[in-house]
Amino acid sequence: MATVIWSERAISDSEGIYDYIARDSLLYAQYTIQNIFKSTERLQLFPNAGRFLPEFPNTPYRELIMGNYRIIYRYDEAKDKVMIVTVLHGSRLLKEDIFDNSIA
């Protein structure tokens, strides 16, 4: 079973998402963040469950879609470790800087 690790960036992204949604609804903010975290639990058993990034298909990065959000991650098979790299709204552009320091 793979270990799922959240990067500081992914945690910060999640906090930002929560804060933004909470301006209108604390309940919906909690619901959204819980679903984001819960959707990554399956990566423990199925670390290659997500699709490769359409913008960067020749990289080892994959994504899970949860509602309007993209959860970007990388699986290190040798260490059996999944690193959640970032979480962003689907309308935002994905930039190459997400690849910096993304696997522990």
Side-chain angles (χ1 to χ4, degrees), residues 34-61:
Q34 285 173 351
N35 283 332
I36 286 172
F37 277 86
K38 186 172 179 136
S39 69
T40 64
E41 289 176 5
R42 69 178 154 171
L43 295 175
Q44 293 176 358
L45 295 175
F46 306 105
N48 292 316
R51 70 177 185 170
F52 285 105
L53 298 175
E55 302 92 334
F56 304 104
N58 297 320
T59 66
Y61 295 88

PDB file of all heavy atoms in Angstrom, residues 34-61:
ATOM      1  N   GLN A  34     -13.031  18.218   2.551  1.00  0.00           N
ATOM      2  CA  GLN A  34     -13.146  16.810   2.945  1.00  0.00           C
ATOM      3  C   GLN A  34     -13.163  15.910   1.715  1.00  0.00           C
ATOM      4  O   GLN A  34     -12.516  14.858   1.700  1.00  0.00           O
ATOM      5  CB  GLN A  34     -14.412  16.588   3.771  1.00  0.00           C
ATOM      6  CG  GLN A  34     -14.302  17.106   5.174  1.00  0.00           C
ATOM      7  CD  GLN A  34     -15.628  17.019   5.934  1.00  0.00           C
ATOM      8  OE1 GLN A  34     -16.672  16.727   5.376  1.00  0.00           O
ATOM      9  NE2 GLN A  34     -15.562  17.301   7.231  1.00  0.00           N
ATOM     10  N   ASN A  35     -13.883  16.310   0.684  1.00  0.00           N
ATOM     11  CA  ASN A  35     -13.943  15.506  -0.533  1.00  0.00           C
ATOM     12  C   ASN A  35     -12.622  15.483  -1.290  1.00  0.00           C
ATOM     13  O   ASN A  35     -12.264  14.467  -1.886  1.00  0.00           O
ATOM     14  CB  ASN A  35     -15.081  15.979  -1.439  1.00  0.00           C
ATOM     15  CG  ASN A  35     -16.422  15.514  -0.936  1.00  0.00           C
ATOM     16  OD1 ASN A  35     -16.525  14.477  -0.272  1.00  0.00           O
ATOM     17  ND2 ASN A  35     -17.451  16.276  -1.226  1.00  0.00           N
ATOM     18  N   ILE A  36     -11.893  16.578  -1.263  1.00  0.00           N
ATOM     19  CA  ILE A  36     -10.573  16.598  -1.903  1.00  0.00           C
ATOM     20  C   ILE A  36      -9.660  15.592  -1.200  1.00  0.00           C
ATOM     21  O   ILE A  36      -9.023  14.764  -1.843  1.00  0.00           O
ATOM     22  CB  ILE A  36      -9.979  18.024  -1.896  1.00  0.00           C
ATOM     23  CG1 ILE A  36     -10.712  18.895  -2.927  1.00  0.00           C
ATOM     24  CG2 ILE A  36      -8.478  17.989  -2.180  1.00  0.00           C
ATOM     25  CD1 ILE A  36     -10.346  20.359  -2.888  1.00  0.00           C
ATOM     26  N   PHE A  37      -9.608  15.661   0.125  1.00  0.00           N
ATOM     27  CA  PHE A  37      -8.742  14.737   0.871  1.00  0.00           C
ATOM     28  C   PHE A  37      -9.215  13.291   0.716  1.00  0.00           C
ATOM     29  O   PHE A  37      -8.402  12.388   0.529  1.00  0.00           O
ATOM     30  CB  PHE A  37      -8.655  15.136   2.346  1.00  0.00           C
ATOM     31  CG  PHE A  37      -7.645  16.199   2.614  1.00  0.00           C
ATOM     32  CD1 PHE A  37      -7.970  17.548   2.489  1.00  0.00           C
ATOM     33  CD2 PHE A  37      -6.357  15.875   2.979  1.00  0.00           C
ATOM     34  CE1 PHE A  37      -7.027  18.536   2.715  1.00  0.00           C
ATOM     35  CE2 PHE A  37      -5.401  16.846   3.211  1.00  0.00           C
ATOM     36  CZ  PHE A  37      -5.744  18.193   3.078  1.00  0.00           C
ATOM     37  N   LYS A  38     -10.504  13.083   0.778  1.00  0.00           N
ATOM     38  CA  LYS A  38     -11.042  11.729   0.660  1.00  0.00           C
ATOM     39  C   LYS A  38     -10.755  11.126  -0.717  1.00  0.00           C
ATOM     40  O   LYS A  38     -10.470   9.934  -0.835  1.00  0.00           O
ATOM     41  CB  LYS A  38     -12.541  11.729   0.928  1.00  0.00           C
ATOM     42  CG  LYS A  38     -13.136  10.354   0.962  1.00  0.00           C
ATOM     43  CD  LYS A  38     -14.571  10.364   1.406  1.00  0.00           C
ATOM     44  CE  LYS A  38     -15.076   8.946   1.392  1.00  0.00           C
ATOM     45  NZ  LYS A  38     -15.850   8.612   2.542  1.00  0.00           N
ATOM     46  N   SER A  39     -10.792  11.950  -1.754  1.00  0.00           N
ATOM     47  CA  SER A  39     -10.552  11.430  -3.108  1.00  0.00           C
ATOM     48  C   SER A  39      -9.124  10.930  -3.292  1.00  0.00           C
ATOM     49  O   SER A  39      -8.868  10.099  -4.164  1.00  0.00           O
ATOM     50  CB  SER A  39     -10.894  12.484  -4.160  1.00  0.00           C
ATOM     51  OG  SER A  39      -9.977  13.551  -4.118  1.00  0.00           O
ATOM     52  N   THR A  40      -8.198  11.388  -2.457  1.00  0.00           N
ATOM     53  CA  THR A  40      -6.813  10.928  -2.570  1.00  0.00           C
ATOM     54  C   THR A  40      -6.565   9.625  -1.823  1.00  0.00           C
ATOM     55  O   THR A  40      -5.527   8.988  -2.035  1.00  0.00           O
ATOM     56  CB  THR A  40      -5.817  11.989  -2.074  1.00  0.00           C
ATOM     57  OG1 THR A  40      -6.013  12.209  -0.681  1.00  0.00           O
ATOM     58  CG2 THR A  40      -5.970  13.295  -2.837  1.00  0.00           C
ATOM     59  N   GLU A  41      -7.489   9.207  -0.975  1.00  0.00           N
ATOM     60  CA  GLU A  41      -7.301   7.980  -0.204  1.00  0.00           C
ATOM     61  C   GLU A  41      -7.158   6.749  -1.108  1.00  0.00           C
ATOM     62  O   GLU A  41      -6.407   5.837  -0.792  1.00  0.00           O
ATOM     63  CB  GLU A  41      -8.454   7.777   0.774  1.00  0.00           C
ATOM     64  CG  GLU A  41      -8.440   8.758   1.924  1.00  0.00           C
ATOM     65  CD  GLU A  41      -9.633   8.618   2.843  1.00  0.00           C
ATOM     66  OE1 GLU A  41     -10.455   7.684   2.642  1.00  0.00           O
ATOM     67  OE2 GLU A  41      -9.766   9.447   3.760  1.00  0.00           O
ATOM     68  N   ARG A  42      -7.848   6.726  -2.221  1.00  0.00           N
ATOM     69  CA  ARG A  42      -7.773   5.565  -3.124  1.00  0.00           C
ATOM     70  C   ARG A  42      -6.383   5.395  -3.736  1.00  0.00           C
ATOM     71  O   ARG A  42      -6.034   4.324  -4.210  1.00  0.00           O
ATOM     72  CB  ARG A  42      -8.827   5.652  -4.216  1.00  0.00           C
ATOM     73  CG  ARG A  42      -8.578   6.758  -5.209  1.00  0.00           C
ATOM     74  CD  ARG A  42      -9.626   6.755  -6.283  1.00  0.00           C
ATOM     75  NE  ARG A  42      -9.731   8.109  -6.806  1.00  0.00           N
ATOM     76  CZ  ARG A  42     -10.409   8.424  -7.854  1.00  0.00           C
ATOM     77  NH1 ARG A  42     -11.055   7.507  -8.509  1.00  0.00           N
ATOM     78  NH2 ARG A  42     -10.454   9.661  -8.275  1.00  0.00           N
ATOM     79  N   LEU A  43      -5.574   6.466  -3.684  1.00  0.00           N
ATOM     80  CA  LEU A  43      -4.222   6.367  -4.236  1.00  0.00           C
ATOM     81  C   LEU A  43      -3.345   5.424  -3.418  1.00  0.00           C
ATOM     82  O   LEU A  43      -2.327   4.955  -3.907  1.00  0.00           O
ATOM     83  CB  LEU A  43      -3.582   7.756  -4.324  1.00  0.00           C
ATOM     84  CG  LEU A  43      -4.257   8.725  -5.298  1.00  0.00           C
ATOM     85  CD1 LEU A  43      -3.607  10.101  -5.201  1.00  0.00           C
ATOM     86  CD2 LEU A  43      -4.210   8.186  -6.716  1.00  0.00           C
ATOM     87  N   GLN A  44      -3.741   5.140  -2.188  1.00  0.00           N
ATOM     88  CA  GLN A  44      -2.993   4.184  -1.382  1.00  0.00           C
ATOM     89  C   GLN A  44      -2.994   2.812  -2.051  1.00  0.00           C
ATOM     90  O   GLN A  44      -1.976   2.137  -2.077  1.00  0.00           O
ATOM     91  CB  GLN A  44      -3.582   4.084   0.020  1.00  0.00           C
ATOM     92  CG  GLN A  44      -3.423   5.332   0.834  1.00  0.00           C
ATOM     93  CD  GLN A  44      -4.116   5.225   2.184  1.00  0.00           C
ATOM     94  OE1 GLN A  44      -4.765   4.227   2.508  1.00  0.00           O
ATOM     95  NE2 GLN A  44      -3.980   6.260   2.996  1.00  0.00           N
ATOM     96  N   LEU A  45      -4.140   2.415  -2.579  1.00  0.00           N
ATOM     97  CA  LEU A  45      -4.260   1.105  -3.235  1.00  0.00           C
ATOM     98  C   LEU A  45      -4.059   1.176  -4.740  1.00  0.00           C
ATOM     99  O   LEU A  45      -3.605   0.211  -5.352  1.00  0.00           O
ATOM    100  CB  LEU A  45      -5.631   0.489  -2.931  1.00  0.00           C
ATOM    101  CG  LEU A  45      -5.891   0.143  -1.477  1.00  0.00           C
ATOM    102  CD1 LEU A  45      -7.316  -0.348  -1.284  1.00  0.00           C
ATOM    103  CD2 LEU A  45      -4.908  -0.918  -0.992  1.00  0.00           C
ATOM    104  N   PHE A  46      -4.408   2.315  -5.320  1.00  0.00           N
ATOM    105  CA  PHE A  46      -4.334   2.474  -6.769  1.00  0.00           C
ATOM    106  C   PHE A  46      -3.587   3.758  -7.118  1.00  0.00           C
ATOM    107  O   PHE A  46      -4.184   4.740  -7.566  1.00  0.00           O
ATOM    108  CB  PHE A  46      -5.741   2.501  -7.376  1.00  0.00           C
ATOM    109  CG  PHE A  46      -6.578   1.319  -6.993  1.00  0.00           C
ATOM    110  CD1 PHE A  46      -7.593   1.430  -6.052  1.00  0.00           C
ATOM    111  CD2 PHE A  46      -6.344   0.077  -7.564  1.00  0.00           C
ATOM    112  CE1 PHE A  46      -8.366   0.340  -5.692  1.00  0.00           C
ATOM    113  CE2 PHE A  46      -7.106  -1.026  -7.208  1.00  0.00           C
ATOM    114  CZ  PHE A  46      -8.116  -0.895  -6.272  1.00  0.00           C
ATOM    115  N   PRO A  47      -2.267   3.769  -6.927  1.00  0.00           N
ATOM    116  CA  PRO A  47      -1.507   5.009  -7.112  1.00  0.00           C
ATOM    117  C   PRO A  47      -1.462   5.513  -8.557  1.00  0.00           C
ATOM    118  O   PRO A  47      -1.162   6.679  -8.788  1.00  0.00           O
ATOM    119  CB  PRO A  47      -0.112   4.647  -6.612  1.00  0.00           C
ATOM    120  CG  PRO A  47      -0.045   3.170  -6.684  1.00  0.00           C
ATOM    121  CD  PRO A  47      -1.437   2.676  -6.462  1.00  0.00           C
ATOM    122  N   ASN A  48      -1.778   4.667  -9.505  1.00  0.00           N
ATOM    123  CA  ASN A  48      -1.806   5.100 -10.904  1.00  0.00           C
ATOM    124  C   ASN A  48      -3.229   5.330 -11.408  1.00  0.00           C
ATOM    125  O   ASN A  48      -3.481   5.302 -12.605  1.00  0.00           O
ATOM    126  CB  ASN A  48      -1.087   4.074 -11.791  1.00  0.00           C
ATOM    127  CG  ASN A  48       0.398   4.047 -11.525  1.00  0.00           C
ATOM    128  OD1 ASN A  48       1.035   5.088 -11.409  1.00  0.00           O
ATOM    129  ND2 ASN A  48       0.960   2.862 -11.412  1.00  0.00           N
ATOM    130  N   ALA A  49      -4.149   5.588 -10.486  1.00  0.00           N
ATOM    131  CA  ALA A  49      -5.559   5.727 -10.841  1.00  0.00           C
ATOM    132  C   ALA A  49      -5.838   6.959 -11.698  1.00  0.00           C
ATOM    133  O   ALA A  49      -6.727   6.945 -12.535  1.00  0.00           O
ATOM    134  CB  ALA A  49      -6.420   5.781  -9.579  1.00  0.00           C
ATOM    135  N   GLY A  50      -5.109   8.021 -11.478  1.00  0.00           N
ATOM    136  CA  GLY A  50      -5.368   9.259 -12.213  1.00  0.00           C
ATOM    137  C   GLY A  50      -4.820   9.224 -13.623  1.00  0.00           C
ATOM    138  O   GLY A  50      -4.025   8.360 -13.990  1.00  0.00           O
ATOM    139  N   ARG A  51      -5.249  10.187 -14.404  1.00  0.00           N
ATOM    140  CA  ARG A  51      -4.757  10.277 -15.779  1.00  0.00           C
ATOM    141  C   ARG A  51      -3.498  11.140 -15.818  1.00  0.00           C
ATOM    142  O   ARG A  51      -3.260  11.967 -14.939  1.00  0.00           O
ATOM    143  CB  ARG A  51      -5.821  10.869 -16.693  1.00  0.00           C
ATOM    144  CG  ARG A  51      -6.086  12.340 -16.454  1.00  0.00           C
ATOM    145  CD  ARG A  51      -7.088  12.891 -17.431  1.00  0.00           C
ATOM    146  NE  ARG A  51      -7.214  14.336 -17.226  1.00  0.00           N
ATOM    147  CZ  ARG A  51      -7.854  15.136 -18.018  1.00  0.00           C
ATOM    148  NH1 ARG A  51      -8.456  14.659 -19.087  1.00  0.00           N
ATOM    149  NH2 ARG A  51      -7.912  16.419 -17.768  1.00  0.00           N
ATOM    150  N   PHE A  52      -2.691  10.927 -16.860  1.00  0.00           N
ATOM    151  CA  PHE A  52      -1.537  11.790 -17.065  1.00  0.00           C
ATOM    152  C   PHE A  52      -2.024  13.193 -17.399  1.00  0.00           C
ATOM    153  O   PHE A  52      -3.118  13.369 -17.951  1.00  0.00           O
ATOM    154  CB  PHE A  52      -0.638  11.259 -18.182  1.00  0.00           C
ATOM    155  CG  PHE A  52       0.168  10.061 -17.768  1.00  0.00           C
ATOM    156  CD1 PHE A  52      -0.172   8.796 -18.214  1.00  0.00           C
ATOM    157  CD2 PHE A  52       1.247  10.194 -16.929  1.00  0.00           C
ATOM    158  CE1 PHE A  52       0.563   7.683 -17.833  1.00  0.00           C
ATOM    159  CE2 PHE A  52       1.997   9.084 -16.532  1.00  0.00           C
ATOM    160  CZ  PHE A  52       1.647   7.832 -16.990  1.00  0.00           C
ATOM    161  N   LEU A  53      -1.221  14.181 -17.081  1.00  0.00           N
ATOM    162  CA  LEU A  53      -1.608  15.567 -17.325  1.00  0.00           C
ATOM    163  C   LEU A  53      -1.683  15.844 -18.824  1.00  0.00           C
ATOM    164  O   LEU A  53      -0.698  15.625 -19.535  1.00  0.00           O
ATOM    165  CB  LEU A  53      -0.599  16.524 -16.690  1.00  0.00           C
ATOM    166  CG  LEU A  53      -0.452  16.448 -15.182  1.00  0.00           C
ATOM    167  CD1 LEU A  53       0.654  17.368 -14.712  1.00  0.00           C
ATOM    168  CD2 LEU A  53      -1.757  16.781 -14.500  1.00  0.00           C
ATOM    169  N   PRO A  54      -2.809  16.323 -19.325  1.00  0.00           N
ATOM    170  CA  PRO A  54      -2.919  16.613 -20.758  1.00  0.00           C
ATOM    171  C   PRO A  54      -1.912  17.663 -21.221  1.00  0.00           C
ATOM    172  O   PRO A  54      -1.399  17.577 -22.336  1.00  0.00           O
ATOM    173  CB  PRO A  54      -4.350  17.136 -20.923  1.00  0.00           C
ATOM    174  CG  PRO A  54      -5.075  16.761 -19.694  1.00  0.00           C
ATOM    175  CD  PRO A  54      -4.056  16.557 -18.612  1.00  0.00           C
ATOM    176  N   GLU A  55      -1.595  18.639 -20.346  1.00  0.00           N
ATOM    177  CA  GLU A  55      -0.641  19.693 -20.713  1.00  0.00           C
ATOM    178  C   GLU A  55       0.799  19.190 -20.768  1.00  0.00           C
ATOM    179  O   GLU A  55       1.621  19.742 -21.493  1.00  0.00           O
ATOM    180  CB  GLU A  55      -0.687  20.860 -19.705  1.00  0.00           C
ATOM    181  CG  GLU A  55      -2.021  21.521 -19.553  1.00  0.00           C
ATOM    182  CD  GLU A  55      -2.856  20.926 -18.429  1.00  0.00           C
ATOM    183  OE1 GLU A  55      -2.672  19.737 -18.085  1.00  0.00           O
ATOM    184  OE2 GLU A  55      -3.688  21.650 -17.882  1.00  0.00           O
ATOM    185  N   PHE A  56       1.093  18.175 -19.978  1.00  0.00           N
ATOM    186  CA  PHE A  56       2.453  17.645 -19.863  1.00  0.00           C
ATOM    187  C   PHE A  56       2.406  16.117 -19.896  1.00  0.00           C
ATOM    188  O   PHE A  56       2.716  15.456 -18.898  1.00  0.00           O
ATOM    189  CB  PHE A  56       3.103  18.128 -18.562  1.00  0.00           C
ATOM    190  CG  PHE A  56       3.131  19.614 -18.406  1.00  0.00           C
ATOM    191  CD1 PHE A  56       2.250  20.259 -17.547  1.00  0.00           C
ATOM    192  CD2 PHE A  56       4.031  20.387 -19.126  1.00  0.00           C
ATOM    193  CE1 PHE A  56       2.267  21.634 -17.400  1.00  0.00           C
ATOM    194  CE2 PHE A  56       4.059  21.761 -18.988  1.00  0.00           C
ATOM    195  CZ  PHE A  56       3.172  22.396 -18.130  1.00  0.00           C
ATOM    196  N   PRO A  57       2.032  15.528 -21.033  1.00  0.00           N
ATOM    197  CA  PRO A  57       1.819  14.078 -21.094  1.00  0.00           C
ATOM    198  C   PRO A  57       3.083  13.235 -20.937  1.00  0.00           C
ATOM    199  O   PRO A  57       2.994  12.061 -20.622  1.00  0.00           O
ATOM    200  CB  PRO A  57       1.187  13.874 -22.472  1.00  0.00           C
ATOM    201  CG  PRO A  57       1.666  15.037 -23.277  1.00  0.00           C
ATOM    202  CD  PRO A  57       1.779  16.180 -22.314  1.00  0.00           C
ATOM    203  N   ASN A  58       4.241  13.828 -21.135  1.00  0.00           N
ATOM    204  CA  ASN A  58       5.487  13.060 -21.067  1.00  0.00           C
ATOM    205  C   ASN A  58       6.193  13.209 -19.727  1.00  0.00           C
ATOM    206  O   ASN A  58       7.409  13.059 -19.636  1.00  0.00           O
ATOM    207  CB  ASN A  58       6.418  13.470 -22.213  1.00  0.00           C
ATOM    208  CG  ASN A  58       5.799  13.155 -23.552  1.00  0.00           C
ATOM    209  OD1 ASN A  58       5.172  12.113 -23.728  1.00  0.00           O
ATOM    210  ND2 ASN A  58       5.951  14.053 -24.493  1.00  0.00           N
ATOM    211  N   THR A  59       5.424  13.521 -18.701  1.00  0.00           N
ATOM    212  CA  THR A  59       5.974  13.628 -17.353  1.00  0.00           C
ATOM    213  C   THR A  59       5.318  12.544 -16.488  1.00  0.00           C
ATOM    214  O   THR A  59       4.296  11.987 -16.875  1.00  0.00           O
ATOM    215  CB  THR A  59       5.688  15.018 -16.734  1.00  0.00           C
ATOM    216  OG1 THR A  59       4.277  15.152 -16.542  1.00  0.00           O
ATOM    217  CG2 THR A  59       6.217  16.141 -17.613  1.00  0.00           C
ATOM    218  N   PRO A  60       5.876  12.263 -15.333  1.00  0.00           N
ATOM    219  CA  PRO A  60       5.285  11.238 -14.462  1.00  0.00           C
ATOM    220  C   PRO A  60       4.109  11.747 -13.627  1.00  0.00           C
ATOM    221  O   PRO A  60       3.610  11.018 -12.771  1.00  0.00           O
ATOM    222  CB  PRO A  60       6.460  10.843 -13.566  1.00  0.00           C
ATOM    223  CG  PRO A  60       7.299  12.063 -13.498  1.00  0.00           C
ATOM    224  CD  PRO A  60       7.173  12.717 -14.856  1.00  0.00           C
ATOM    225  N   TYR A  61       3.675  12.960 -13.868  1.00  0.00           N
ATOM    226  CA  TYR A  61       2.609  13.547 -13.062  1.00  0.00           C
ATOM    227  C   TYR A  61       1.233  13.121 -13.556  1.00  0.00           C
ATOM    228  O   TYR A  61       1.003  12.982 -14.752  1.00  0.00           O
ATOM    229  CB  TYR A  61       2.723  15.074 -13.056  1.00  0.00           C
ATOM    230  CG  TYR A  61       3.979  15.521 -12.384  1.00  0.00           C
ATOM    231  CD1 TYR A  61       5.162  15.646 -13.097  1.00  0.00           C
ATOM    232  CD2 TYR A  61       4.001  15.775 -11.019  1.00  0.00           C
ATOM    233  CE1 TYR A  61       6.337  16.021 -12.474  1.00  0.00           C
ATOM    234  CE2 TYR A  61       5.175  16.152 -10.387  1.00  0.00           C
ATOM    235  CZ  TYR A  61       6.335  16.268 -11.120  1.00  0.00           C
ATOM    236  OH  TYR A  61       7.493  16.628 -10.496  1.00  0.00           O
TER     237      TYR A  61
END
